[in-house]
Each structure stands twice: as structure tokens, then as C-alpha cells.
Amino acid sequence: MHIVRSSSIVTASIGLISQSPDHTVRDINQVEQCQRTSVAILGAGVAGITAAQTLSKHSFDDFLIVEYKNEIGGRMTHAEFGVHPDGRPYVVELGANWVQGLGSEGGPENPIWTLAKKWDVKNTYSDFDSLLTYNETGEVDYTNHFAAIDGVYSSAEQTAGTILIENLQDRSARAGFSQAGWKPKKDMAAQAVEWWYWDFESANPPDTSSFVFGIAGYNSTHYQYSDENNFVHDERGFNYWLQGEASTFLRPNDTRLLLDTIVTNITYNDRGVTVYNEDGSCISAEYALCTFSLGVLQNEAVTFEPKLPEWKQTGIETFHMGTYTKIFMQFNETFWDAEKQFFLYADPNKRGYYPIFQSLSHENFMPGSNILFVTVVGDESYRIELQDDETTQAEIMEVLRQMFPDITVPKPSAFMFPRWSLEPWAYGSYSNWPVGTTLEMHQNLRANVDRLWFAGEHTSAAYFGFLQGAYFEGREAGLRIASLLGNECVDQGRCGEHSFYDPLHGTTGREAFNIINGWDADSFATYGLNRE
Ligand SMILES: Cc1cc2nc3c(=O)[nH]c(=O)nc-3n(C[C@H](O)[C@H](O)[C@H](O)COP(=O)(O)OP(=O)(O)OC[C@H]3O[C@@H](n4cnc5c(N)ncnc54)[C@H](O)[C@@H]3O)c2cc1C
């Protein structure tokens, strides 16, 4: 049985550690000179801005937002690319690109959809059926594999639901789909279709993804809101809505927004939090909310004093940070079918090798732009993000020549891709739920440690990886911190500190290591082993 504790139980030991000589020196010499605030919000992405807005809505306006970059938006970020016929550059989204799950008549609406509409962010339905399929010989119809995977999906989904409801053991998505009858084996066309179904969303292969939470996460968004995905193509960028929301509670040049400020160290205890920045400045706060990505936490880009407790570190290290890389190319002509949106390629040797090309030249997006982008994820992202642009471009050109053997594929006039896995403010794209990992472990990733709080897409159990996950988690942390500051619950059910689980079980008890379970040796006996 899992023991649920509230964070306050560990404050005694944290208090002790924070009184070590080093801390005392730092406390006396530096903390007094730090800028003071009630809440330090670390990060100006969706979670950070939504948390600040929630505090402001409840009349807590004494906060500071600290952001590494020079703008609001976080992983919702864009860049200028290529040239428009009128001489201006196009704008492409390097990070989040779709509003995923919109809303249905009489049902709930995805808040990202509500906000995109409020700020008139330009977006269009993405038609995933507008697809042509290819292999190394050119266009080949392997749509039969779509019918096959569609056929097993609903039975796999039922099984995942039963596992969740009856608290049975999770398995990999690979095992779950295989049991349902989907076995792509070495058929590379089937592998490409599987990539399109799974990796394209999870940025991880089915082998390393949780069957239960992968399916449950998809359903929370697409069954609750709708199965539509709208592609954003707005010259002001997708983050325009977030900047708009920020303008409802931040004045122009508001001194509470500290851009271009890199947090390097966070000290915390049960009385407050001190945030130290690379430029030598520091902030002393009653509470801090860290919205840095799971990748930033895993890469120790920021240090914590005292070290985060083991239950927290285990949560951080256990979840996966996926990488999703879009590689943009502009050509002097649209040599592909201008009426189609997606082009799926099955490489003969390597699964996930430049698998999906997407046309921005399509009339619904940026007609006449001659822009095509190809997406890779996971190991392929890590591989190409470490190599130079020329090598990556040459590899893609080789693939395009195989896909379009009857065309002289021109060299792109513009070429660009972000390197998410190396970006020090993100270290990856978004989180994914690993195999066999419990909801309790996720709650440990989410829970506050004393007065240090955490929020972001990765702390969302139901919407991890999505913008709406960051939104809900920012709002929830804002409500809970507002309740603690004001000593009264500002929102029913979202008050007080988060619970966490320590110790965390979900393992096999010692008594079960017996002959009935096929374990006939004592794992700890040392017969014949000289330990001297
Ligand atoms: C390539 C890609 C494609 C995606 N596609 C979609 C999509 O189509 N639809 C969808 O719903 N979601 C998508 N996502 C996920 C979505 O972008 C995220 O869920 C969301 O933006 C996360 O918001 P956040 O506030 O949790 O974190 P972030 O946006 O990462 O915000 C955290 C902030 O902290 C700052 N920070 C980090 N380190 C420091 C430091 N040391 N000091 C100061 N500040 C720091 C960062 O600069 C950042 O602004 C995609 C993400 C990527 C990368």
C-alpha cells in the first residue's frame, strides 16, 4: 500500500540541512540584498504565464516572472524562414504547432482553442487523411496497413481501459498493440504507418511508451474535446495568444517580468525560496513555482539546495523527455502534389528515417510558399541534431529523390531546423510516460517540496505533452499558492500542498520471491562467493 504524505512532513530535515554553515553564510550575505516578492514564477511559458494570471485574478499581484529568453512563450516559439514573393520572410513554428482537440457541441472546450479564438490566431483544420505514401521506389499505396492498425486500435484501447480501471500491470505500447494483433515485424511500410500512429505524437517509440497512459493521455484530449487538430500558421506566431493573455495583467515593460534572466540555483526550505541568477542577481520569495521543462530538470541546468529529496529526483529521472524536430525547406517550386498535406516515407532499412513530410504550400496554409518540412523524433532527432546542416540536407535530398524518381528534385533555397535536445532552456520537446510507471510516481514529479512548487506540461497526468497540460497545471499551481498566501481556499478542491508518495511501491514484495512464483534461489545468499 502506498503511503501518502504531505510535504510538510519533511520540513524538519530540510530545515536542518538549510542551516548548514554554507547556507547560513549565503543567507546572511546575499539573501538580504535579493529582490523580495511573494511568488517567484520561474519561466514565462504557458504554465508560468497562466499561474501569474491566476494569482493576479485572485488579487495577488506581488510576483516576479523570471525568463531565460527575451520573450513570452517558451516552447511555443517561431522563427522567420525563407522568402515570401513580396520579399518578407515567412513565419514558421519551431515548437507547438497544433491546437490538439478543439471542443464539441455541448461538451467542454480545450482552453487553448478558446484562447486561440479569443486572440484570433490563424489556424486551419489539419487533414490527416490528405496523405500519400512512399517508399524507396517512389509513390506506393500501403493504405491497407492503416485499415489494419485502425482495426486493432479499438480493442487495444479497451484493454488499456481495463488495465487502468482494474489497477492491473501496465505494459509497453508495443506489447499492448501486439497482443491486440498488430505485428508490423520487418515490414517497413507497416513500421512507417505505426510511426505515424504512435511516434509522431509521443516522440518516443511504442517500445518505451506506457500502453495505459499513452492511450489514456490521447483520450483525455481527443475524446473529451474532439479528434480535430488545427494547424497554426499565423505571422504573429502561435504565442501571440499567450502574450495577449499576459497583457491583461502585465503593463507594457512591467518590471515584474524579468526577461533574459537565467536561473542557475534555487535554495528552498519551509519558510521560503531564494532564486539565484547567472547575472548575479537574486530573488527572495515566500513561494517559487518552477515551470522549467523536464529536460531542464533532468540535465541539472539548475541546481537545488538542499538537493531535491529522493522521491522527487526519482520522479524527475523516471519520466521521458522526447525530442521532435521539424526540418524546414523552401524550394523554388512545389514539385510535390500541391493538393495533399502529408507525405509518408517508409525507408527500406531504418524505421523513422525522415518519415513524414508536410506541405505548407497547400492552399489552406501558406499557398505558393514552396515550403516543405520533414519531422523526425527520438533517436533520429538526437542523431541529426548533432550533425551539421549540410549532412542533414544531403540525407533528406537523397530521400526526396527516392520518393520522386521522375522529378529532378531541386536543392532548397532555404534550410533550417531547431536543435531541441541541445537547447539549454528546454533540453528536448515534451514529456512522455514510460512503461510501467504509476500515477503515484507522476504525482511525485508534480508535488511541491516545501515552498518550491513545480508545474508544466510534464506535471499534467491527463494532458502531458500538450499545451493544455501546461495551462491546467499553471492554473492549478496558481490557485494553490494563492490559497496558501491568503490562508483560505480560493477554489474548491484546489487548495493546500500537493501530496506525494514515499516510499513508492509497485514492486514485488520480498515474500513473493518464492518457488510459487518461479524464484527458487535466495537472491542474497553468498555461498561460494568470497566477499573478503
Ligand atoms: C517541437 C515541439 C512540438 C510541439 N507540438 C505541440 C503541438 O502541436 N500541440 C501541443 O499542444 N503541444 C505541442 N508541444 C508541447 C508544448 O509546446 C508544451 O507542452 C508547452 O509549450 C509547455 O509549456 P510549459 O510552460 O510547461 O514549458 P515551457 O514552454 O518550456 O516554459 C518554461 C519556460 O522556462 C524557461 N526556462 C528554462 N530554463 C530556465 C532558466 N534556467 N532560467 C530562466 N528561465 C528558464 C524557458 O525559456 C521557458 O520559457 C510541442 C513542443 C515542441 C517542442
Side-chain angles (χ1 to χ4, degrees), residues 11 16 43 127-128 148 152 169 183 229 238 252 262 272 277 304 348 352 359 367 380 384 401-402 470 472 489 514 518:
T11 53
L16 262 182
D127 183 0
F128 289 90
V152 301
Q169 198 171 74
K183 295 178 192 294
N229 292 286
F238 197 169
I262 304 175
N277 305 320
F304 296 91
S359 173
E380 277 303 287
I384 69 141
R401 285 182 191 120
Q402 291 176 7
F472 287 129
C489 193
N514 57 34

Side-chain angles (χ1 to χ4, degrees), residues 43-47 66-69 73-76 94-98 100 261-263 291-292 296 302 324 420 425 429-430 456-457 465-468 470:
V46 175
V66 191
E67 170 53 47
Y68 189 116
K69 300 196 294 166
R75 281 171 272 166
M76 198 167 44
L94 305 177
N97 220 150
W98 280 277
Q100 301 199 254
T261 307
I262 304 175
V263 174
T291 71
F292 303 159
V296 168
V302 176
Y324 180 111
W420 282 104
W425 56 268
S429 300
Y430 49 86
E457 59 78 15
F466 292 119
L467 288 162
Q468 52 269 32

Side-chain angles (χ1 to χ4, degrees), residues 175-250:
F177 283 106
S178 186
Q179 281 179 290
W182 170 255
K183 295 178 192 294
K185 300 184 185 152
K186 295 282 173 253
D187 183 330
M188 298 311 282
Q191 293 272 5
V193 168
E194 180 187 271
W195 185 98
W196 159 269
Y197 252 79
W198 192 269
D199 306 41
F200 195 19
E201 188 61 63
S202 305
N204 274 271
D207 314 68
T208 56
S209 302
S210 163
F211 180 50
V212 172
F213 289 97
I215 290 195
Y218 179 90
N219 290 358
S220 305
T221 277
H222 290 292
Y223 287 11
Q224 183 184 192
Y225 301 127
S226 71
D227 59 4
E228 298 139 296
N229 292 286
N230 275 20
F231 189 81
V232 171
H233 50 101
D234 193 306
E235 281 188 28
R236 300 163 302 175
F238 197 169
N239 61 2
Y240 182 75
W241 71 263
L242 189 65
Q243 296 178 347
E245 286 302 298
S247 73
T248 64
F249 63 94
L250 291 177

Side-chain angles (χ1 to χ4, degrees), residues 57-77:
K57 275 183 185 161
H58 290 91
S59 307
F60 293 100
D61 291 305
D62 180 28
F63 53 75
L64 290 172
I65 307 171
V66 191
E67 170 53 47
Y68 189 116
K69 300 196 294 166
N70 63 3
E71 64 165 3
I72 286 171
R75 281 171 272 166
M76 198 167 44
T77 184

